[in-house]
Amino acid sequence: MAENNFYDSVYQVVRLIPPGRVTSYGAIAAYLGTKGSSRMVGYAMQACGNANPQVPAHRVVNRQGLLTAKFHFGGDLMQQLLESEGVKVADDQVQDFKDLFWDPAVELAL
């Protein structure tokens, strides 16, 4: 799969995450059939700034619910965006992560 096509596939999945929910890089990679490529999903998230339509990258966190990409947003913007959707964040970690976790393999199952 070409890098641009992979990134576009990632963006399509991320755009489906409902407000107030989060998913992980690994869950997206697994859903796309590329289980070992969670780092590539992270690279896609870093590159999504000019994607149209917009990609709600703030809803993608690591497998423990940590806001590992927060420095790409600058300051506390990632946390603010999540909190504006009702997601509680403490010490850079999504609270109630298991309850808020949106698994594309489950949610988008045919």
Side-chain angles (χ1 to χ4, degrees):
M1 179 181 300
E3 182 176 291
N4 284 344
N5 289 340
F6 180 76
Y7 282 19
D8 288 339
S9 296
V10 169
Y11 299 160
Q12 288 174 23
V13 173
V14 175
R15 287 183 185 115
L16 297 173
I17 305 167
R21 302 287 300 275
V22 293
T23 195
S24 67
Y25 304 101
I28 294 169
Y31 174 74
L32 294 175
T34 56
K35 189 172 174 143
S37 64
S38 55
R39 187 165 297 200
M40 286 298 294
V41 173
Y43 294 149
M45 292 293 87
Q46 288 176 22
C48 76
N50 295 324
N52 191 11
Q54 274 190 309
V55 177
H58 62 283
R59 297 180 189 145
V60 183
V61 296
N62 84 353
R63 63 190 168 111
Q64 284 125 7
L66 290 170
L67 311 188
T68 51
K70 76 177 240 171
F71 65 93
H72 291 291
F73 287 81
D76 290 324
L77 181 59
M78 185 177 188
Q79 179 171 338
Q80 291 169 1
L81 290 168
L82 287 168
E83 288 176 341
S84 75
E85 297 179 354
V87 176
K88 290 182 175 59
V89 178
D91 297 321
D92 294 332
Q93 186 164 24
V94 172
Q95 304 300 292
D96 302 318
F97 178 62
K98 289 182 181 179
D99 293 332
L100 298 177
F101 185 73
W102 184 85
D103 186 348
V106 174
E107 303 292 341
L108 303 177
L110 296 176

